[in-house]
């Protein structure tokens, strides 16, 4: 369903991602495991159009790399950045609805209801401003926002990073439920312990190179 082929991405003059090839099947939860600085964020940012890239990234026969960033979101890609990027002054609900302000999301009201049904804790603080939430709660909201646009696939960048154990367990439950909903997900993690139970498969990234086998211990 998502098929990335020979993707190269640079930051300024520095090549960061080198010939990345990977795929995520329909409804599959797939890992992208690599230590800090390996290139996970840069790969996601390249797929979202925030970093220039060459190669191909076909999602349902459309090459994401050929689309401007907002059209990638409109094509059903949801992105949860590692640093959340919520608008602090907006309410939780406004943050979740944000993608629908710039692109048409199919049956957005039903989708919001569905998101609240799988994350009732997020519904409970829907009227609070994002800045009033803890970092961990903000991560849940960032996942909810990714789900709003991510009708085809979600890119989750270190969703467990910095979460207290109780919230990490809860996030694990939410992601496990997503599996039964048939959502395709690519999850980047530096510590695969958090995600091993969730993943169908994993890729490993080291110094910008992606492989389906771990290269070093
Ligand atoms: P982390 O979890 O620490 O963010 P990561 O696997 O997501 O790790 P990236 O953030 O993609 O890694 O970084 C990959 C490489 O690109 C690193 O060597 C990093 O130093 C470099 N890099 C990232 N951003 C920039 C930048 N703005 N300018 C120069 N180099 C950068």
């Amino acid at each position: 369903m998502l098929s990335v082929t020979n993707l190269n991405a640079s930051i300024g003059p520095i090549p960061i991602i080198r010939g990345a090839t990977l795929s995520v099947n329909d409804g599959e939860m797939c890992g992208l495991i690599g230590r800090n600085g390996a290139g996970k964020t840069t790969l996601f940012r390249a797929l979202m159009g925030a970093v220039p890239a060459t190669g191909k990234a076909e999602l349902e026969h459309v090459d994401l790399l050929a689309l401007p960033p907002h059209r990638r979101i409109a094509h059903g890609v949801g992105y949860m950045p590692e640093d959340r990027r919520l608008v602090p002054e907006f309410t939780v609900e406004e943050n979740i609805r944000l993608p629908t302000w710039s692109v048409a999301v199919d049956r957005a009201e039903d989708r919001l209801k569905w998101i609240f049904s799988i994350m009732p804790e997020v519904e409970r603080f829907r009227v609070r401003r994002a800045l009033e939430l803890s970092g961990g709660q903000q991560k849940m909201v960032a996942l909810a926002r990714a789900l709003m646009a991510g009708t085809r696939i979600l890119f989750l960048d270190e969703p467990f990073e910095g979460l207290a154990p109780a919230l990490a367990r809860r996030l694990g439950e939410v992601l496990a439920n997503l599996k039964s909903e048939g959502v395709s997900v690519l999850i980047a993690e530096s510590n695969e312990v958090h995600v091993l139970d969730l993943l169908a498969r994993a890729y490993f990234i080291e110094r910008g190179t992606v492989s389906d086998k771990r290269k070093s211990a």
Side-chain angles (χ1 to χ4, degrees), residues 23-35:
S23 60
V24 182
N25 295 322
D26 271 335
E28 188 178 43
M29 204 163 275
C30 198
L32 178 68
I33 312 297
R35 59 182 65 147

Side-chain angles (χ1 to χ4, degrees), residues 11-12 14 16-17 34-43 82 157-158 190 205:
I11 297 181
I14 308 162
I16 305 284
I17 304 297
R35 59 182 65 147
N36 291 346
K40 305 179 295 296
T41 298
T42 306
L43 179 53
E82 187 183 1
D157 194 355
E158 304 209 37
S190 51
I205 180 164

Side-chain angles (χ1 to χ4, degrees), residues 8 30-31 41 54 65 73 88-89 94 100 105 120 134 139 147-149 154 167-168 190 197 200 203 206 215:
N8 292 283
C30 198
T41 298
T54 61
L65 300 190
I73 296 167
E89 299 292 340
E94 286 167 342
T100 69
V105 171
S134 72
K139 282 219 144 179
L147 276 165
M148 198 68 203
L154 297 179
L167 256 184
S190 51
D197 290 348
Y203 291 94
E206 271 185 62
K215 284 188 187 145

Side-chain angles (χ1 to χ4, degrees), residues 70-157:
H70 70 278
R71 298 259 318 273
R72 300 182 198 198
I73 296 167
H75 191 56
V77 181
Y79 175 40
M80 174 184 175
E82 187 183 1
D83 55 4
R84 309 182 299 265
R85 306 238 172 165
L86 300 182
V87 182
E89 299 292 340
F90 284 6
T91 65
V92 164
E93 182 169 334
E94 286 167 342
N95 270 285
I96 298 171
R97 285 180 184 272
L98 255 184
T100 69
W101 297 356
S102 51
V103 301
V105 171
D106 236 12
R107 301 175 44 215
E109 293 308 314
D110 289 346
R111 207 157 168 86
L112 186 65
K113 274 190 204 143
W114 170 68
I115 292 166
F116 284 154
S117 75
I118 55 176
M119 285 193 271
E121 60 271 70
V122 173
E123 180 170 26
R124 280 198 290 278
F125 42 66
R126 68 197 285 179
V127 297
R128 289 169 65 182
R129 286 186 302 168
L131 59 82
E132 296 168 37
L133 306 182
S134 72
Q137 290 170 327
Q138 289 187 27
K139 282 219 144 179
M140 300 296 267
V141 178
L143 173 62
R145 183 186 52 191
L147 276 165
M148 198 68 203
T151 53
R152 291 201 158 106
I153 196 163
L154 297 179
F155 298 146
L156 309 182
D157 194 355

